[in-house]
Each structure stands twice: as C-alpha cells, then as structure tokens.
Amino acid sequence: MLSNKTIILGITGSIAAYKAAEIASQLTQAGAKVNVIMTKEAIEFISPVTFRALTGNPVVTEMFDLASEFSIEHVSLAKSADIVVIAPATANIIAKLAAGFADDMLCCTVLATRAPVVIAPAMETNMYDNPITQDNLSKLEARNFVIVGPATGWLASGKEGLGRLADINDILGSIRHILDRDGDLAGKHIVITAGGTQEPIDPVRYISNRSSGKMGYALAEAARDRGARVSLITAPTSIPKPAGVDVIKVNTAQEMRQAVENVTSQADALIMAAAVADYRPKSTANEKIKRRDAGLTIEMECTPDILGIVKGNFIKVGFAAESSKLVENAKEKLKQKGLDFIVANDITASDSGFGVDTNRVTIIDREGRIDSLPLMPKRDVAERVFDRVAELLPKPKSR
Ligand code: PMT
C-alpha cells in the first residue's frame, strides 16, 4: 500500500531525532519514496547522511540550497507529497505551524501542501502540558492535522513522564491508515474479536485455550489498512496494540459478549476470530482453592454463544477451529449461527491455526461455495476475508 507513495518526513531538533531513521528505513523498505526535510536544529542531533543513505534521496536542510533540486521551486516537494509526517515535532515547530510561519523549508512545505499532515510531538512534559503548546496542538487538530502521541516514558531530562515520541508502530500505523482512507472499506465500521477468553476458577487460575490473537490482530490491521474504522475486542494476548485501531480488552466470554453487543450497534461487519471458551466454571471461588489429595472436580456450564445470539444489520463472519471433518463441521456452524460465511480453520497441522504466523483455511459461504486456500501468512488470510466482506457490503450509489 505504501509503494509509489511520496512521503515527506520532517525532522526537528529533538533527542528523538534518531528514531526518525527507523521510520525512514521502514517506509523505504515498504516501497515508499521518502524525502527528508531536516531543520537546522535536527542536524545537531543526527546527520543528514544517515537519511540520504536510508532513503536513497537527497535530504533538504536549507531553504536556499542552490545545489538542491527542490530549492528552485520550494513548493515542489509539497506538491509531490501524498503525506507529510513530522517526527519528532518540537514545541517550536508546532508553534510555528499553528501561527503559519514560513521561515524554513519544513514550514513552507507544510503551508504549501494539500496532503494530510501527521505530527508526532516529542518534548519535556512541562513544555507539552503548557497551555500554549496545548492551544497550538488544538489549532492544528482543528485544521485536520493528525496528532500521534506523545507517549509516556523515559525523557531526555532523566525523568519519566508524558512527552516521549510515540511508538514508531503507532506513527507508521497512522500513516498507513491515512493513506488508505480511500480503500475499499473506507467509511465502514468493522468489529473483530481476537484471542482466547479466560474463564476464572479462583483468583489465580482460569480455563483458556492456545489462541495467541495473531489471526484477529492480522484482521484488525488489514481492515485498518483498507480504510475501515476498526474496533478490536481482544482477550488477553502478548501482541502490542495495533495503531489506529480502537482496542477493547476483555477477559471472559461474558465480557466479550457485552463488548460485542455494545460496539456492533453501528457496525458494518463482525468477524469473530476469537477462540471463545465454550464452557466456564459454574462458580468462581473467592479464595485460592487449596490442594487436596482427593483431587478436584469443577462443574462447568456453557458460555453464551456470542455469534449465535448477537443481532443486527451487519455482515457476520465466524471462524471454525476444527481438528476433524473440517468442511462438514464448519457448514453446521455457519447454519447454526446464521453467518454470511465461515472461515474453517484446519488446526491439525503445526503451521496452521493456534499460535503460528501462518494459516490454512477454507472459506464456506451460505450459498454453499467452498474455497480452499493454501497455507499463507495470517495477514494474507485476513486480506482474503476482507475481499469477501467487501463484495458483500452494499455498494455506494452512483450519481
Ligand atoms: O489466535 P491465533 O493463535 O492466531 O489462532 C487463530 C484461531 C485458530 C484461534 C482462529 O483462526 C480461529 O479459528 N478462531 C475460532 C476459534 C473457535 O472458537 O472456533 P469454534 O469453532 O469453537 O467457534 C466457532 C465460532 O463461534 C468462532 O467464530 C467463535 O469466535 C464463535 N464463538 C464460539 C463460542 C462462543 N461461546 N461464542 C462464539 O461466538
């Protein structure tokens, strides 16, 4: 999605300027053309040579650099941009942009561009909290600048606090999200569930399963990158929060049901990749259960069948984790739960299903069409799922 996009990466004078090298590198590796503009303060922190080497493009450091191909028409970069990203953005550049200054190449480019602008602030907590900076950020937001971060953490002052450059994945996620505003899921609200629910036995023990959440998170990122607004309802996992996605954390099947019912009121599609526990202990002990030589019997009851009971005018997609009779069992679930289609998941192979990065699935729809896909990365499975979802969504009326 980033290939053939022109991204202007503005770097200003912050200790976090070194992190811009990773941003430039990742964008370039993803196929984008990255043009870097550095303020003179940024050069005090990191050399333009680094960015020239990482992007393969000249780095603009001076407004009137006669050797630069961009200096003749100083707005040429602005015109070529699909997006402008300033990371890190100091309080100074934020103030200058809010006031409309045009006294350096970065300010001129931002003033002249019609492309979306992302600002990732990085500064001391007090500078960030200062009402002047907050007013400036509000002004920029009101003019549709996208502000990412800052994050809380270790700062150059040696203290911990708010003001650290946002996580690079958050910045990259925002760029992807903005660039694909016109994707085939633009304007759609997609709800996705992920991970294995945890059903408590006592304060320290629970019943769960081997779901890592990888399939659900891959779906969330794919939907986001195709332009959707994504709500990801997730049972506990060790995967970092995907940028540009609303994450709702739950533990139990009952909490997941509640969250699904809350967020699907305006949804266009619900995709349930979560491995929801089918049974939970009938009661949860208040105290840790003591070891007894006689052993322990736990009485279990059914959890709510979320997909089966959730109602609404949206596309419903289930996953079926099967260890035998893949198509037969999945077809039965498709019917029982009233789904538009089901993604039958072969969990018998070590490279497919729970915990791994790849999956082998068969998509079965309510018309009985069966599409068996080869082993592929979970992200590719997610794309195939959304190809189907996009086909089912109502088409915009042509004028
Ligand atoms: O998380 P990973 O490690 O990446 O693994 C991915 C996965 C194997 C968990 C995933 O691809 C998958 O197959 N998810 C569905 C697992 C499952 O619970 O299957 P099921 O056949 O038991 O349930 C069928 C469908 O009903 C599922 O969409 C499930 O979310 C839903 N369900 C199940 C039980 C329940 N009480 N309520 C439900 O809504």
Side-chain angles (χ1 to χ4, degrees), residues 193-197 209-217 219 237 239 253 256 270-279 302-310 317-322 329-330 333 337 339 342-347 352-359 361 378 381:
T193 66
T197 62
N209 57 66
R210 293 193 297 111
S211 171
S212 63
K214 286 182 179 178
M215 190 63 245
Y217 279 60
L219 285 158
T237 75
I239 309 177
M256 188 168 273
L270 167 66
I271 325 276
M272 288 220 32
V276 185
D278 284 316
Y279 300 98
C302 278
T303 56
D305 175 5
I306 305 170
L307 258 184
I309 53 186
V310 67
V317 179
F319 272 67
E322 302 297 343
N329 287 342
K333 288 176 185 170
K337 296 174 192 258
L339 308 178
I342 194 157
V343 184
N345 209 151
D346 176 2
I347 55 163
S352 172
F354 290 95
V356 288
D357 292 327
T358 47
N359 217 351
V361 302
K378 283 182 174 166
V381 171

Side-chain angles (χ1 to χ4, degrees), residues 215 319 326 343-346 349 351-353 356-363 370-385 387-388:
M215 190 63 245
F319 272 67
L326 182 74
V343 184
N345 209 151
D346 176 2
D351 53 6
S352 172
V356 288
D357 292 327
T358 47
N359 217 351
R360 187 180 287 103
V361 302
T362 298
I363 298 180
I370 298 176
D371 187 8
S372 295
L373 304 178
L375 185 73
M376 57 178 78
K378 283 182 174 166
R379 173 60 190 249
D380 292 356
V381 171
E383 297 293 351
R384 304 295 283 264
V385 168
D387 289 346
R388 291 296 192 102

Side-chain angles (χ1 to χ4, degrees), residues 236-257:
T237 75
S238 58
I239 309 177
K241 169 189 180 305
V245 164
D246 291 333
V247 175
I248 301 148
K249 292 184 179 175
V250 297
N251 288 299
T252 64
Q254 179 55 30
E255 287 169 12
M256 188 168 273
R257 173 193 177 172

